[in-house]
Amino acid sequence: MKLINAEPLIKNMLAMKTQLRYDAIAIDGIIKALREAEEVDAISVVRCKDCRWYETSRTTHPECQLHCEIGEPDYFCASGESRTELERRINNETTNN
């Protein structure tokens, strides 16, 4: 399964319909199907590697400072918070030194 934002696709199809004079009935059918498609119950997550609580500088193993456990970079949890760009730079500088 692939989650997509259908709105840009619908916008492009409407432009194709008017500018390139594609088959309007076919395009209208596709747009209707996209608009009526079932929505997926999904949320955005913050991966450990992008979380403000994920530290790589203090130990040889990456560690979650919120849960006090070793974390894997691609894991995520319900408490994840995005790191700011400044926090990313500081963490990278500390890791590289």
Side-chain angles (χ1 to χ4, degrees):
M1 174 188 334
K2 182 176 184 177
L3 303 178
I4 64 165
N5 179 357
E7 292 307 315
L9 181 59
I10 291 171
K11 184 178 177 182
N12 288 342
M13 294 188 86
L14 287 170
M16 285 177 19
K17 182 175 138 180
T18 56
Q19 295 171 359
L20 302 176
R21 308 218 190 285
Y22 278 93
D23 184 356
I25 294 172
I27 289 181
D28 286 342
I30 294 169
I31 290 171
K32 182 178 183 218
L34 285 169
R35 287 190 171 142
E36 293 175 355
E38 182 180 341
E39 289 187 22
V40 176
D41 184 16
I43 60 167
S44 297
V45 297
V46 177
R47 302 264 177 218
C48 290
K49 65 185 175 191
D50 299 319
C51 181
R52 70 177 314 157
W53 303 108
Y54 188 68
E55 287 285 331
T56 56
S57 58
R58 295 185 184 185
T59 64
T60 56
H61 300 289
E63 190 174 279
C64 175
Q65 299 300 306
L66 186 63
H67 297 293
C68 300
E69 56 190 50
I70 294 175
E72 294 295 325
D74 288 325
Y75 284 10
F76 60 91
C77 73
S79 305
E81 295 179 42
S82 288
R83 191 181 300 188
T84 65
E85 186 56 38
L86 176 60
E87 289 171 320
R88 281 189 194 96
R89 277 200 310 256
I90 290 170
N91 193 40
N92 287 338
E93 288 172 6
T94 310
T95 302
N96 294 331
N97 291 335

